[in-house]
Amino acid sequence: MPRLRLALAQTNPTVGDLEGNSRQIVEAARRARAAGADLVATGEMSITGYPIEDLASRPSFLSASKQAVQELAETLAAEGLGDLPVVVGHPDGPFEPRLLDTSNAPTAIAKNCASVLLDGRIVTTTAKYHLPNYSVFDEYRVFIPGDELLVVRIRGVDVALIICEDLWRDGGPVGRVMDAGAGLLLVINASPWIADKDEVRLPLVTRRATENDTLVAYVNIVGGQDDLLFDGDSVVVDGSGAILARAPQWEEHLLVAEVEADASANRTLPAGIRRVDVAGPAYSGDDARSPAPAADIAELPDDLEQLWNGLVTGLRDYVGKNGFRSVILGLSGGIDSAVCAAIAADALGASRVYGVSMPSQWSSDHSRSDADDVAERIGVNYSVEPIADLVAPFESQLKLTGLAAENVQARARALILMGLSNLDGHLVLTTGNKTELSVGYSTIYGDSVGGFAPIKDVPKTMVWELARWRNAFALAQGLVEPIPSNSITKPPSAELRPGQVDQDTLPPYDVLDGILDAYITRALGAADVVALGYDAAVVAEVTRLVDRSEWKRRQGAIGPKISGMAFGRDRRLPITYRPSGL
Amino acid sequence: MPRLRLALAQTNPTVGDLEGNSRQIVEAARRARAAGADLVATGEMSITGYPIEDLASRPSFLSASKQAVQELAETLAAEGLGDLPVVVGHPDGPFEPRLLDTSNAPTAIAKNCASVLLDGRIVTTTAKYHLPNYSVFDEYRVFIPGDELLVVRIRGVDVALIICEDLWRDGGPVGRVMDAGAGLLLVINASPWIADKDEVRLPLVTRRATENDTLVAYVNIVGGQDDLLFDGDSVVVDGSGAILARAPQWEEHLLVAEVEADASANRTLPAGIRRVDVAGPAYSGDDARSPAPAADIAELPDDLEQLWNGLVTGLRDYVGKNGFRSVILGLSGGIDSAVCAAIAADALGASRVYGVSMPSQWSSDHSRSDADDVAERIGVNYSVEPIADLVAPFESQLKLTGLAAENVQARARALILMGLSNLDGHLVLTTGNKTELSVGYSTIYGDSVGGFAPIKDVPKTMVWELARWRNAFALAQGLVEPIPSNSITKPPSAELRPGQVDQDTLPPYDVLDGILDAYITRALGAADVVALGYDAAVVAEVTRLVDRSEWKRRQGAIGPKISGMAFGRDRRLPITYRPSGL
């Protein structure tokens, strides 16, 4: 059987950065050549980044993207890499609009494509067939579907080339891989990470391999893009489902694996399958190349470590891709801000993290000392800005009382952080967790202020788990635990009035998170949540809070999405609607 | 030919308010009965409101909606209206998911339906065939498409019943109306208003009438729902394209029109067309009913009046549907806040509008006097809260300079408005216009604060036009002009530093609005904008500002959408991407 040395390149593109993204691909091709590869594959939309959303409806963007693909082919040739086939992902267009243009509306004019570059040219291009349009995906909105299965013949192996969703759906291209007689199924992906994704993704890849009795090479992009996380985790499996190679999560990586594949045969192809002869004669293993290095088979860490590293990746890339150099956040002594500070320090280094303690007259002694403690443990830049003298003029001039007086404290803190951000260019981090954002237990324009919310999709009970995990991880390395144990064990409090604790207002967090998981993530109605065993009055109150605070979440900051159905872009609800518990 | 007396009910539903929306339909049926109608038709999704977005993916919501339809049928019968066919719009489901559920993602399980209610029952139901998924529409995301054309026989007339987008697209149901031998095409709609919508919508209705040589009855919902405006403008045209009846814009209205339609014939229907016999024998015009009243034929006002009334409707409904009773806004003496105050007073009455002048040391004398003047002219509640004593402690404690010092003034004003909102329950209005939001010429968490932005989709040059129009409208009625002429004529200024005017930083507003229209609304790339005749350096700077400020707009407040392609929900761009001018 012919031997094919694959190089799967986990690049970390930034949406729209055609030049930078192309540079990453050239670099990957250089390294692949050095490793003797026959074929380099990059992820879905590796030229433009993913998702491009309505940029796909701008003819100028499509033209520039197409030109970038052409220029990349020429650059590869100029670098002496012209004879190495490189698979890239990119939008193609503009095509004739798919929809009747009824009202000057954006209309699908692009296709989501994979192209093979060789000899300074775009040799062939194929388009994604199944366009996901659920959860975070809007592809049917902006793309025209493809209508074929492409097979590229490379060194005697017929490689079926498909894109992401086409692997997930029965029927369509993946159902024709056997008809095509392909020796290898190559899938290029921009597959967002969510908790437990490995429980569905790897089994799918191995199922497709065994169903088709063929090798599968799966390449994914890596990195954070707004509230999406791409984890990489590219993999090669054989027709028995065995893993031949696996790339690490969260890192740019070139995964090289030499495989033995069925030789191509000149069978007659049914309609809808197109074959293009791309490159060179088959290798049989006795060629003069240096032997293939042993393939990496990375091991996935446990769930909490995956999550922590994902949150670190999301923050690091949001900061870097948006041109910030540093972040600033309030340190209250509580668990949320301590965990955010630790994530930020892991992402950027402590020297680029600025913590500010902003005590009020209601702040307890332990809040101040715990804030000092977290700053010292993590080693962030630290300052103390008491708010009493800032708040008093508002209270007296406006005669604020009750909730209005509580909120002005949170808002004065926001003004401090934004003022220091304006002075020194720090990105402000919002430290709110998913639980409090869900029920509106925060002050709009107060503690909700910030450009990025590292834990906006992490429930409170999981924030504690993460803190314990991160401390244990430090201990195991003989390092200082970053989170003060007091921040983990003390009762949470907003400290906006004397003696206040969260559970004055909210049910116990384990109950609350259970109800929120059922009502939001699992999309159950209130009656079904009660049927799970929760108290009806508590469910009624929690669903009322969720329905009422939907508009706040709409205005919420960007932060990584970690669950299957969360807030923000993948949960679209009206702002004006009657709270109903449905 | 049989005579059919139609009643088209422009109701104003609130999303999710199943009970309130159903009450509106019962009330319309009562009035239709009093007018001797044979058939009542309400708009698309009249039971649930539109758009329901991801509520369509919640089984509990679908079950409750279906139950509401059944209960409405029973209520109509109990009210003695059981023999009057009533067409309602609603989601139906849950059905088997359309998509493979790959990752716990929401999946289409609903159809967008029209049902005929009669004799206490849901007699028949049909589903929308074309699901729009562009601009503000997400229907392919949440709905399963229909697969038929339904014809309901009512008093000897075959009525083809279709839903909104199915009228716009050639092919599908509207292409089969002649095959069905329908005497009347009834279209139920939730058709958002945008500027110049009447230039496409009415011509489409008349085209479908003449193409099919048949009567067309077009019924639309009315009112504001978050950032969508529905204008009503329901209409009946005959097979020659002549208007027989037309409802006014922006008002709940029952449009009654008696038409003569081709009699039904028992022709054999091709596959894909389904006919249901719904109600009673044909009338020929010699029945005992009182004669039909002369049908209303409302005239559309000119463009600026339509726009003004749309902005008033959007504000009124956002406030009312969200349970607020009053609004508060800053009055700077400038044109934007004056126009917003006038819109708010027209929407709610001046007694429910609270204006606050918040002068700083940099405020000019004319700012204070113009703010006083607008408050007096419009008659809103008015107070003055100087900010000097509130800002000084921040400046001195944080040593703020430059932009940071400018922004803290805007943010202190936001704290005042939010504090007063928390004290008295007012909704805070954001007074920013589309131009300044597009280029980021505002302070985040400062003047951008608020729950609703009445003019967020109105370019600055059009704000001036609106002000002049509203003043002329008042004059023509012999009333006081609401907008001080000085607010219209003086150079715009943020007044955050001495002598500052907008044009220190921005190109002239007519140039700026021209570039923004080309770059954003018409989706041209920077090179194409330059080709229109704009200065290349100015275009480069403006497109840079737009690309940079996209994330701010993402966090922007809700406000009515008035153009074909604007900000917010119908323009989806990545937050993290390289500014490029593409």
Side-chain angles (χ1 to χ4, degrees), chain A residues 14-18 51-55 57-61 64 99-100 102-107 131 133-138 140-141 165 168-170 194 197 200 208 225-226 317-318 320-322 385-387 389-390 393-394 397-401 403-404 407-408 411-412 415-416 418-420 422-423 444-445 448-451 518-526 528 551 554-558 564-565 569-578 580-582, chain B residues 14-18 51-55 57-61 64 99-100 102-107 131 133-138 140-141 165 168-170 194 197 200 208 225-226 317-318 320-322 385-387 389-390 393-394 397-401 403-404 407-408 411-412 415-416 418-420 422-423 444-445 448-451 518-526 528 551 554-558 564-565 569-578 580-582:
Chain A
T14 299
V15 165
D17 186 10
L18 304 171
I52 59 172
E53 304 202 50
D54 282 3
L55 291 171
S57 302
R58 299 183 66 89
S60 57
F61 183 81
L99 300 177
L100 178 70
T102 55
S103 53
N104 197 23
T107 299
L131 299 174
N133 208 77
Y134 52 83
S135 183
V136 299
F137 303 110
D138 281 313
Y140 186 80
R141 174 184 173 88
E165 189 80 1
W168 291 83
R169 305 254 205 110
D170 295 326
I194 53 171
K197 184 80 175 231
V200 288
R208 294 305 186 203
Q225 169 70 38
D226 299 339
D317 279 355
Y318 192 82
K321 291 180 178 182
N322 285 292
E385 296 289 353
I387 64 169
D389 295 346
L390 307 174
F394 283 93
Q397 181 171 328
L398 301 174
K399 301 179 183 55
L400 300 178
T401 56
L403 184 68
N407 282 342
V408 83
R411 292 182 182 131
L415 254 70
I416 292 173
M418 288 304 299
L420 297 174
N422 286 157
L423 278 182
I444 189 162
Y445 310 124
S448 64
V449 153
Y519 187 59
I520 297 173
T521 309
R522 292 160 59 199
L524 299 181
D528 302 317
W551 72 280
R554 285 269 185 166
Q555 295 191 329
I558 301 305
M565 186 173 172
R569 291 176 50 243
D570 58 331
R571 177 177 155 89
R572 296 179 188 164
L573 291 180
I575 294 155
T576 298
Y577 78 101
R578 292 279 177 267
S580 59
L582 294 175
Chain B
T14 299
V15 165
D17 185 9
L18 304 171
I52 59 172
E53 304 199 53
D54 282 2
L55 291 172
S57 301
R58 298 182 68 88
S60 57
F61 183 81
L99 302 176
L100 178 69
T102 53
S103 53
N104 196 24
T107 298
L131 300 174
N133 208 77
Y134 53 83
S135 182
V136 299
F137 302 110
D138 281 313
Y140 187 79
R141 173 183 174 88
E165 188 79 2
W168 292 83
R169 305 252 206 112
D170 295 326
I194 54 171
K197 184 79 175 233
V200 287
R208 293 304 187 205
Q225 169 70 39
D226 299 339
D317 279 355
Y318 192 82
K321 291 180 178 183
N322 284 293
E385 295 290 353
I387 64 169
D389 295 345
L390 308 174
F394 283 93
Q397 181 172 328
L398 301 174
K399 300 180 184 57
L400 300 179
T401 57
L403 184 69
N407 282 342
V408 83
R411 291 181 183 131
L415 254 68
I416 292 173
M418 289 304 299
L420 297 175
N422 285 158
L423 278 183
I444 191 163
Y445 311 124
S448 65
V449 153
Y519 187 59
I520 297 173
T521 308
R522 293 160 57 199
L524 300 180
D528 302 317
W551 71 282
R554 284 269 185 166
Q555 295 192 329
I558 300 305
M565 186 173 173
R569 293 177 48 244
D570 57 332
R571 177 177 155 89
R572 297 180 189 164
L573 292 180
I575 294 156
T576 298
Y577 77 102
R578 292 281 177 265
S580 59
L582 295 176

Side-chain angles (χ1 to χ4, degrees), chain A residues 490-543:
Chain A
K490 69 184 177 183
S493 168
E495 294 194 333
L496 295 174
R497 60 172 185 265
Q500 182 184 34
V501 295
D502 294 8
Q503 268 56 54
D504 295 344
T505 310
L506 301 174
Y509 275 114
D510 56 340
V511 171
L512 180 54
D513 281 350
I515 294 173
L516 293 174
D517 179 65
Y519 187 59
I520 297 173
T521 309
R522 292 160 59 199
L524 299 181
D528 302 317
V529 179
V530 172
L532 295 177
Y534 292 101
D535 180 78
V538 174
V539 170
E541 174 61 9
V542 170
T543 57

